[in-house]
């Protein structure tokens, strides 16, 4: 078995709250193997986005603290000096966000953005960078790239903008691409195009991909492994097949059941999970899902660990040893 | 369960002018809704699906007369309401209500939940203050909120609870038809299911009719008896929900359904059987619509006459309507 590309251990992200620190991420661990696609799913407030922002040093809030370990190709990212981290971000780890305009400036052309990305990390001439930009736009499927390279972001549709952002992300052949809700703002037919594109790029660039999303369909379509998050922790992890075919955690089961499907039997009533996802400041001690869980019992006042053989779950129902 | 026609739209057109027209002359227009005819039957849920910019929300707003139509005719309970003045529309309004997408912006942050739900009752002078208070408590109870929550403000609620307030407000005047525009798309999956179940319960208890506009094909299938699929301002397919999903007749419907990411959970129903049809290109500009069938530039089956002749929405033997020269068999 090869070395993991990216290994996160006991990640904690906390913010200063009105009444003491608020833990947005509370002991998250996972690994990404080379060439693997990891899907991270969860609802609002599960900590799925803030965890990756935290370990890449992208949280601006001065009151935020990030602890734990995040080893990327043998180097520790947490505590890494800003300068060094900046060279890792963009070149070795690229990010794509939900709203492509987060990454694009309306006053510059699409080509400028890509060329700038290349020139920030490599010393090549403007002309060569522009040439690379055109190649990348062609690769992500922008029609007529030699002309479109001089277009401004507003002249692109939403799907084309996201393609341009992916072209920027790929400009330096990153080893890891982190895509945070990359298709959420897009229509379903455009989403299909972007998902296909991401999978194709894994083949051609050999990048590992981490997709953060609320949409389990997206994960099922493109990921090899899934990490289900709730209340700042991973509650279940495994291959897509393991997690979606035989979900272990009651939260995963509830979430899967509440998605209205386009095929299969049309249920009279959708099964629901009572209550709402909890805010990180109101998280109970013990299992965060316990207040909404139909299978709650005495043991749930203690935090279950993420355990298992390959297919992991943080629930006392599946834990090998239940506390007395 | 479905009965007579509650709302009937005939050839409804809604154009929005865009900047750039020469002074005194008609400028270019966005063809948001381009000749839609449909009927909503009493007691049913008609789902309207399509991608962004297809005109589904504009259509919904036009049908409840939130915005003037450019041409066409809208009848509600047999009465032509297309051109009614504000004053003449007032007695019609209670029967025809709307639930909006964003529970964060569609509720007045400075009013309590009770005041928000009471407002339509006050405007339409439905009873004394005491009676209104009782009605509000009753409605809040129906949507799963407690009477104590009436004194709280929208910001104190989560998204799902706020959407319940939006639904409560729409119920205040005992409407017959509710047009719901993406009512669950801002909500988390687990909350979305709760709100969809609420819609179903209210329909059963109050005999409501819904026009349910959404982009999420799973959600629309869940709630709808019949479904209208829109593309570039036109209805391309309309029929019973199960038929439209199991055997789509329009190539666009087929592509749309095949693009939905499925959760492969091991059950045969969720395993994708068909190849995904990835449509090339983007939706054309609604200012300058393609000739003939507006889907022809992206259609894998387009032939010569698709480029020139606009296919009418024709009814097949089973009552399904399709606007395609070569519907899928």
């Amino acid at each position: 078995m090869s070395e993991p590309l990216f290994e996160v251990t006991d990640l904690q992200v906390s913010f200063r709250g009105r009444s003491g620190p608020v833990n947005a991420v509370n002991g998250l661990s996972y690994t990404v193997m080379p060439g693997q696609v990891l899907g991270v799913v969860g609802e609002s407030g599960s900590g799925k986005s803030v965890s990756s922002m935290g370990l890449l040093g992208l949280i601006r809030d001065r009151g935020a603290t990030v602890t734990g370990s995040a080893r990327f190709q043998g180097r520790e990212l947490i505590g890494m000096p800003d300068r060094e981290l900046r060279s890792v971000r963009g070149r070795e780890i690229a990010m794509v966000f939900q709203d492509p305009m987060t990454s694009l400036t309306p006053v510059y052309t699409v080509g400028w953005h890509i060329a700038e990305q290349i020139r920030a990390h490599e010393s090549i001439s403007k002309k060569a960078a522009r040439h690379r930009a055109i190649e990348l736009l062609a690769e992500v499927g922008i029609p007529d790239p030699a002309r479109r390279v001089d277009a401004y972001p507003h002249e692109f549709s939403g799907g084309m903008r996201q393609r341009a952002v992916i072209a920027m992300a790929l400009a330096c052949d990153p080893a890891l691409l982190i895509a945070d809700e990359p298709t959420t703002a897009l229509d379903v037919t455009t989403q299909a195009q972007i998902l296909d594109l991401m999978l194709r790029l894994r083949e051609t660039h050999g990048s590992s991909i981490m997709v953060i999303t609320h949409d389990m369909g997206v994960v099922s379509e493109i990921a090899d492994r899934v990490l289900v998050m709730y209340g700042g922790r991973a509650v279940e992890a495994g291959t897509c097949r393991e997690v979606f075919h035989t979900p272990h955690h009651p939260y995963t089961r509830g979430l899967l059941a509440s998605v209205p499907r386009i095929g299969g039997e049309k249920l009279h009533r959708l099964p629901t999970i009572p209550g709402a996802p909890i805010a990180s400041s109101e998280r109970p001690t013990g299992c965060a899902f316990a207040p909404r869980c139909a299978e709650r019992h005495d043991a749930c006042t203690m935090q279950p660990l993420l355990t298992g053989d390959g297919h992991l779950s943080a629930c006392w129902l599946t834990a090998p040893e239940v506390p007395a | 369960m479905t009965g007579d026609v509650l709302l009937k739209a005939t050839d409804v057109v809604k154009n929005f002018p865009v900047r750039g027209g020469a002074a005194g002359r008609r400028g270019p227009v966005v063809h948001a809704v381009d000749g839609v005819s449909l009927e909503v039957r009493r007691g049913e849920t008609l789902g309207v699906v399509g991608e962004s910019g297809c005109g589904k929300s504009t259509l919904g707003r036009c049908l409840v007369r939130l915005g003037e139509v450019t041409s066409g005719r809208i009848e509600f309970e047999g009465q032509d309401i297309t051109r009614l003045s504000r004053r003449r529309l007032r007695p019609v309004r209670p029967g025809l209500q709307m639930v909006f997408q964003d529970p964060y912006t569609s509720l007045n942050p400075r009013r309590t939940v009770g005041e928000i739900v009471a407002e339509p009752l006050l405007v339409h002078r439905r009873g004394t203050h005491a009676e209104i208070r009782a009605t509000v408590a009753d409605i809040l109870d129906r949507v799963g909120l407690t009477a104590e929550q009436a004194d709280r403000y929208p910001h104190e609620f989560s998204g799902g609870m706020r959407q319940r307030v939006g639904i409560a407000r729409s119920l205040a005047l005992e409407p017959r038809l509710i047009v719901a525009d993406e009512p669950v798309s801002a909500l988390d999956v687990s909350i979305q299911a709760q709100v969809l179940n609420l819609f179903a319960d209210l329909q059963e208890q109050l005999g409501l009719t819904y026009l349910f506009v959404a982009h999420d094909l799973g959600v629309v299938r869940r709630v709808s008896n019949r479904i209208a699929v829109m593309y570039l301002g036109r209805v391309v397919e309309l029929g019973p929900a199960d038929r439209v999903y199991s055997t789509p007749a329009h190539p666009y419907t087929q592509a749309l359904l095949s693009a939905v990411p499925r959760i492969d959970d091991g059950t045969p129903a969720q395993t994708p059987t068909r190849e995904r049809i990835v449509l090339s290109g983007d939706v054309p500009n609604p200012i300058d619509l393609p000739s003939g069938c507006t889907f022809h530039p992206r259609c894998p089956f387009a032939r010569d006459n698709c480029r020139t002749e606009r296919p009418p929405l024709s009814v097949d033997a089973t009552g399904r309507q399709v606007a395609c020269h070569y519907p899928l068999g």
Side-chain angles (χ1 to χ4, degrees):
Chain A
M1 202 147 147
S2 53
E3 286 283 295
L5 173 77
F6 191 42
E7 187 165 18
V8 174
T9 318
D10 198 25
L11 181 74
Q12 310 262 356
V13 180
S14 65
F15 294 89
R16 219 174 336 191
R18 244 177 268 167
S19 49
V22 174
N23 284 336
V25 180
N26 204 350
L28 178 68
S29 306
Y30 59 85
T31 54
V32 184
M33 303 303 287
Q36 193 177 57
V37 180
L38 173 71
V40 180
V41 279
E43 296 183 285
S44 345
S46 63
K48 59 187 190 300
S49 292
V50 79
S51 58
S52 58
M53 300 285 276
L55 50 87
L56 289 179
L58 290 174
I59 299 177
R60 294 269 162 84
D61 188 339
R62 287 176 171 277
T65 50
V66 181
T67 61
S69 160
R71 294 190 75 77
F72 176 73
Q73 293 183 325
R75 279 171 301 164
E76 179 59 54
L77 297 185
I78 292 172
M80 186 182 264
D82 268 1
R83 247 184 90 93
E84 212 180 318
L85 193 56
R86 213 159 29 233
S87 81
V88 172
R89 267 194 330 246
R91 183 159 57 188
E92 291 160 81
I93 303 180
M95 289 199 75
V96 172
F97 296 98
Q98 172 172 347
D99 177 4
M101 288 313 285
T102 321
S103 323
L104 298 170
T105 317
V107 294
Y108 288 107
T109 64
V110 169
W112 177 90
H113 284 91
I114 302 172
E116 188 68 13
Q117 177 75 18
I118 302 168
R119 282 164 56 80
H121 295 288
E122 275 174 56
S123 55
I124 73 171
S125 73
K126 277 192 171 171
K127 206 177 153 190
R130 183 186 154 87
H131 190 71
R132 277 277 297 286
I134 296 174
E135 283 175 1
L136 283 161
L137 286 176
E139 194 183 338
V140 297
I142 301 278
D144 199 2
R147 198 171 57 83
R148 291 299 200 152
V149 72
D150 294 319
Y152 287 87
H154 77 266
E155 298 174 86
F156 273 26
S157 68
M160 282 166 71
R161 280 181 208 155
Q162 200 59 297
R163 283 169 194 269
V165 171
I166 292 174
M168 275 166 73
L170 294 172
C172 298
D173 264 322
L176 176 65
L177 175 68
I178 299 182
D180 190 351
E181 301 276 9
T183 58
T184 305
L186 305 176
D187 279 318
V188 49
T189 56
T190 316
Q191 166 170 286
Q193 294 169 2
I194 298 289
L195 294 182
D196 278 6
L197 170 66
M198 285 176 44
L199 282 182
R200 224 167 44 234
L201 294 172
R202 168 177 57 172
E203 303 300 319
T204 52
H205 289 247
S207 310
S208 301
I209 304 176
M210 195 167 131
V211 185
I212 302 167
T213 177
H214 69 285
D215 188 329
M216 284 179 290
V218 167
V219 170
S220 176
E221 297 251 340
I222 81 164
D224 306 309
R225 280 186 74 82
V226 201
L227 187 77
V228 182
M229 287 189 71
Y230 188 82
R233 293 177 189 267
V235 295
E236 184 158 359
T239 62
C240 271
R241 205 185 158 81
E242 286 167 342
V243 174
F244 292 139
H245 286 213
T246 51
H248 282 172
H249 199 283
Y251 176 63
T252 315
R253 283 204 293 271
L255 205 55
L256 280 168
S258 54
V259 179
R261 312 293 176 89
I262 64 163
E265 196 193 346
K266 192 165 140 185
L267 301 164
H268 181 60
R269 285 181 68 88
L270 280 170
T272 61
I273 304 174
I278 39 153
S280 359
S281 54
E282 296 158 8
R283 202 172 293 146
T285 57
C287 175
F289 185 60
R292 302 176 72 191
C293 185
E295 296 166 70
R296 172 182 61 235
H297 54 286
D298 292 347
C300 302
T301 52
M302 276 183 294
Q303 177 60 47
L305 295 174
L306 192 65
T307 51
D309 183 18
H311 183 180
L312 312 172
S313 154
C315 179
W316 291 119
L317 295 172
T318 55
E321 275 175 57
V322 179
Chain B
M1 72 178 282
T2 56
D4 55 326
V5 174
L6 187 64
L7 182 102
K8 185 175 179 186
T10 315
D11 208 18
V12 169
V13 173
K14 174 68 180 175
N15 295 334
F16 291 103
V18 283
R19 274 182 303 165
R25 268 199 298 150
R26 279 204 188 173
V29 294
V30 172
H31 303 270
V33 177
D34 194 34
V36 169
S37 302
L38 52 81
E39 293 175 350
V40 187
R41 299 172 193 154
R42 197 180 295 276
E44 77 164 347
T45 299
L46 176 66
V48 180
V49 278
E51 298 183 284
S52 37
C54 73
K56 58 188 188 299
S57 290
T58 306
L59 175 69
R61 296 178 70 92
C62 285
L63 295 183
V64 295
R65 283 287 315 270
L66 283 177
E68 298 300 307
V69 297
T70 307
S71 65
R73 184 180 161 95
I74 300 162
E75 287 161 72
F76 179 63
E77 296 183 321
Q79 183 186 4
D80 184 351
I81 62 164
T82 326
R83 302 276 167 212
L84 286 187
S85 65
R86 275 180 88 97
R87 197 173 55 82
R88 303 273 302 279
L89 200 56
R90 209 179 145 104
V92 182
R93 280 261 182 252
L96 200 60
Q97 293 288 308
M98 184 136 183
V99 174
F100 297 92
Q101 169 174 5
D102 188 352
Y104 295 85
T105 56
S106 59
L107 302 176
N108 187 340
R110 304 171 67 120
R111 295 218 189 278
T112 65
V113 163
E115 286 166 352
I116 289 168
V117 179
E119 192 170 7
L121 295 163
L122 291 166
V123 169
H124 285 269
R125 299 199 185 87
R126 294 284 174 90
T128 65
H129 280 267
E131 284 165 353
I132 286 176
R133 202 168 309 127
T135 313
V136 168
D138 187 45
I139 295 168
L140 288 178
D141 181 52
R142 270 200 188 287
V143 300
L145 297 170
T146 61
E148 294 86 72
Q149 287 171 322
D151 296 325
R152 292 168 60 180
Y153 289 88
H155 77 264
E156 299 176 67
F157 290 92
S158 63
M161 300 289 257
R162 277 183 234 208
Q163 196 54 290
R164 286 174 194 267
V165 177
I167 295 169
R169 175 176 60 186
S170 77
L171 292 177
L173 296 170
E174 298 171 17
R176 269 83 72 200
L177 177 68
I178 291 182
V179 173
D181 184 9
E182 299 274 11
V184 298
S185 49
L187 307 177
D188 272 317
V189 176
S190 67
I191 306 305
Q192 180 176 297
Q194 296 170 5
V195 175
L196 289 177
N197 284 343
L198 175 64
F199 270 102
D201 293 342
L202 292 170
Q203 182 162 49
E204 215 162 88
Q205 293 160 11
L206 305 171
L208 291 168
T209 305
Y210 297 133
L211 184 91
F212 198 100
V213 177
H215 72 282
D216 185 315
L217 288 124
V219 166
V220 170
R221 172 172 182 267
R222 173 67 194 75
V223 296
S224 307
N225 304 108
R226 294 190 306 143
I227 286 173
V229 182
M230 286 186 71
Y231 184 75
L232 274 180
R234 296 177 190 172
V235 172
V236 296
E237 180 161 359
L238 197 161
D242 295 335
R243 300 257 343 266
V244 170
Y245 276 61
S246 60
T247 50
H250 196 284
Y252 176 66
T253 314
Q254 189 190 37
L256 196 62
L257 286 166
S258 82
V260 177
R262 313 258 179 141
I263 305 171
D264 173 10
D265 59 6
T267 59
Q270 298 308 329
T271 318
T273 47
R274 259 191 312 252
E275 270 293 286
R276 169 176 293 167
I277 305 155
V278 175
L279 290 177
S280 57
D282 287 310
V283 178
N285 186 345
I287 297 173
D288 187 15
L289 293 176
S291 59
C293 170
T294 50
F295 186 57
H296 85 253
R298 304 177 77 197
C299 182
F301 313 107
R303 299 188 211 173
D304 280 347
N305 63 334
C306 300
R307 291 174 239 285
T308 51
E309 292 164 43
R310 174 174 173 173
L313 193 64
S314 44
V315 189
D316 72 7
T318 63
R320 176 185 357 211
Q321 304 171 48
V322 187
C324 180
H325 291 303
Y326 307 101
L328 306 164

